Amino acid sequence: MDDCLFCKINKGEIPAKKVYDGDEVFAIEDINPQAPTHLLIIPKKHHATLLDLTKEDHAMIGSIPTIANDLARERGLDQSGYRLVVNCGAGAGQSVFHIHFHLLGGRPLQWPPG
Ligand code: AMP
Ligand code: ZN
């Protein structure tokens, strides 16, 4: 998508701190971190929300928890715990309409989130 922030970051048109770059998924540091570790794990294929996923995406989406595990282990979060969360739709707090998983950790996390 020409006008999508995360597609532009994927293409290198907007700078970001990349922490992972795979064939189908990449990860960056969130620009406005809500925890000591706040990463965004992002499919390279553009889908606006989780609701747009199809069966074709199962393998790619299924790879994300293990990518999150690797990123979490590198930061010691396998010991302290981490959260992997997706906001789906404006009512859930989604502000960038290209699917992304938030990986948060490094401080005690409350439940339920706001
Ligand atoms: P959400 O509200 O779930 O759509 O999450 C969007 C996230 O993208 C927020 O946590 C923002 O801080 C983050 N964000 C917005 N712009 C950028 C950017 N240019 N680089 C990195 N993260 C960003
Ligand atoms: Zn996009």
Side-chain angles (χ1 to χ4, degrees), residues 5-6 9 14-17 28-34 38 40 85-88 92-98 100 102:
L5 173 64
F6 291 161
I9 287 176
I14 291 177
K17 266 196 153 181
I28 60 173
E29 291 189 357
D30 197 291
I31 203 168
N32 182 23
Q34 301 301 308
H38 187 173
L40 302 174
V85 64
V86 183
N87 297 322
C88 180
Q94 185 173 3
S95 60
V96 177
F97 283 82
H98 176 133
H100 51 283
H102 296 257

Side-chain angles (χ1 to χ4, degrees), residues 14-37:
I14 291 177
K17 266 196 153 181
K18 259 189 196 169
V19 294
Y20 172 80
D21 194 10
D23 288 342
E24 296 186 294
V25 175
F26 68 105
I28 60 173
E29 291 189 357
D30 197 291
I31 203 168
N32 182 23
Q34 301 301 308
T37 294

Side-chain angles (χ1 to χ4, degrees), residues 1 4-8 44-47 97-98:
M1 292 282 280
C4 168
L5 173 64
F6 291 161
C7 285
K8 284 183 177 171
K44 292 187 174 180
K45 182 176 171 185
H46 180 92
H47 282 308
F97 283 82
H98 176 133

Side-chain angles (χ1 to χ4, degrees), residues 41-100:
I41 303 174
I42 307 172
K44 292 187 174 180
K45 182 176 171 185
H46 180 92
H47 282 308
T49 84
L50 278 187
L51 290 165
D52 298 309
L53 290 173
T54 70
K55 282 187 178 170
E56 283 177 18
D57 302 307
H58 280 186
M60 178 276 291
I61 286 291
S63 72
I64 288 180
T66 48
I67 293 167
N69 281 341
D70 290 343
L71 291 165
R73 282 195 192 96
E74 286 167 17
R75 291 159 179 78
L77 299 178
D78 53 323
Q79 301 301 315
S80 54
Y82 75 90
R83 181 171 294 161
L84 189 61
V85 64
V86 183
N87 297 322
C88 180
Q94 185 173 3
S95 60
V96 177
F97 283 82
H98 176 133
I99 293 174
H100 51 283

